[in-house]
Amino acid sequence: MATSFFLFILSATFSSSILTTVFSFEPAPLQDFCVADPSNLGAVRVNGLACKNPLFVQADDFYYSGLHVAGDTQNSYGFRVSPVSVYQIPGLNTLGISMMRIDYSLWGANPPHTHPRATEILTVLEGTLQVGFITSDPQNRLITKVLQRGDVFVFPVGLVHFQRNMGHTNASAIAALSSQNPGVISITNSIFGSTPPISTEILAQAFGVDSKTVNLLKKKLTHM
């Protein structure tokens, strides 16, 4: 397989001599695998967790069991995410892929959120889901669709998106993500539940409401 390189050349003339600097970037893994070693906390992290000695790697480093079990959806949102990222399968480290199971109770919703490091592709296993994402400023278009069993939908990296169970039974889905550690930013949690909290005055101005409403939302979030 041919190796691809990105070359960036800077040239400058000093005293009739040419100084050339070449930077190279290799987007593909440079080894078979880099199984995460979370116990090596003192290691320098470049883009992922430190690697375990490959001589000590076992099959279980690439294995996870449990996605056949539905998640507990008895919470205020009525959904549960069961992730399978580098923290569940250490062998995913540096490979740029992960997945998750999402379960929804009747009318349960996975509220607006983003994955800052990954595109998501979701497949409905059971039930009927309304899904959607919002494009960036200034258009802020809502792209939405109702999905049935077997339907697939893509949420582009970094865009705010959501899912909601629209059927008359519980629903479930499997999603793949283009990062071993996609991350998640919940819109409500990040805005109204940050530590330390964002100033009530700033939030009131941003949302065009009074301080009492903002404080009520902050209080409700702490009990969810």
Side-chain angles (χ1 to χ4, degrees):
M1 181 179 70
T3 302
S4 60
F5 286 95
F6 172 73
L7 300 180
F8 180 56
I9 301 177
L10 293 176
S11 298
T13 302
F14 297 97
S15 302
S16 71
S17 65
I18 297 179
L19 174 65
T20 301
T21 305
V22 178
F23 300 93
S24 65
F25 170 67
E26 171 55 68
L30 300 179
Q31 65 282 317
D32 289 343
F33 48 75
C34 172
V35 173
D37 183 9
S39 64
N40 192 359
L41 299 179
V44 176
R45 300 181 183 183
V46 178
N47 188 22
L49 300 175
C51 302
K52 180 187 290 188
N53 187 326
L55 296 178
F56 301 144
V57 168
Q58 304 293 329
D60 282 349
D61 291 318
F62 302 90
Y63 170 81
Y64 176 83
S65 178
L67 281 192
H68 63 291
V69 179
D72 182 6
T73 60
Q74 295 191 20
N75 53 64
S76 58
Y77 292 117
F79 87 107
R80 177 71 63 185
V81 172
S82 302
V84 185
S85 69
V86 67
Y87 298 105
Q88 287 74 40
I89 301 182
L92 287 175
N93 193 38
T94 75
L95 297 184
I97 192 170
S98 61
M99 65 185 301
M100 59 186 172
R101 171 177 175 146
I102 316 170
D103 291 282
Y104 314 82
S105 62
L106 185 61
W107 299 109
N110 188 359
H113 63 282
T114 72
H115 301 294
R117 294 179 290 276
T119 291
E120 175 182 347
I121 182 168
L122 178 141
T123 304
V124 178
L125 299 180
E126 298 289 345
T128 302
L129 295 179
Q130 180 189 10
V131 302
F133 63 85
I134 302 168
T135 65
S136 56
D137 288 342
Q139 288 81 17
N140 293 315
R141 289 185 59 213
L142 172 61
I143 309 295
T144 185
K145 191 170 182 65
V146 175
L147 306 182
Q148 307 293 337
R149 180 180 180 181
D151 290 346
V152 178
F153 198 82
V154 174
F155 305 108
V157 58
L159 296 187
V160 175
H161 60 280
F162 63 89
Q163 307 105 38
R164 188 187 188 202
N165 182 2
M166 299 291 290
H168 301 288
T169 63
N170 292 341
S172 61
I174 287 284
L177 301 107
S178 60
S179 170
Q180 68 268 10
N181 183 23
V184 60
I185 300 174
S186 167
I187 304 305
T188 51
N189 288 345
S190 61
I191 293 176
F192 295 103
S194 66
T195 303
I198 301 175
S199 163
T200 297
E201 290 74 18
I202 292 176
L203 293 179
Q205 182 178 7
F207 287 94
V209 297
D210 56 30
S211 297
K212 182 178 179 181
T213 301
V214 172
N215 289 327
L216 177 63
L217 289 171
K218 287 183 176 180
K219 184 177 180 180
K220 288 185 67 174
L221 190 64
T222 60
H223 293 87
M224 294 183 79

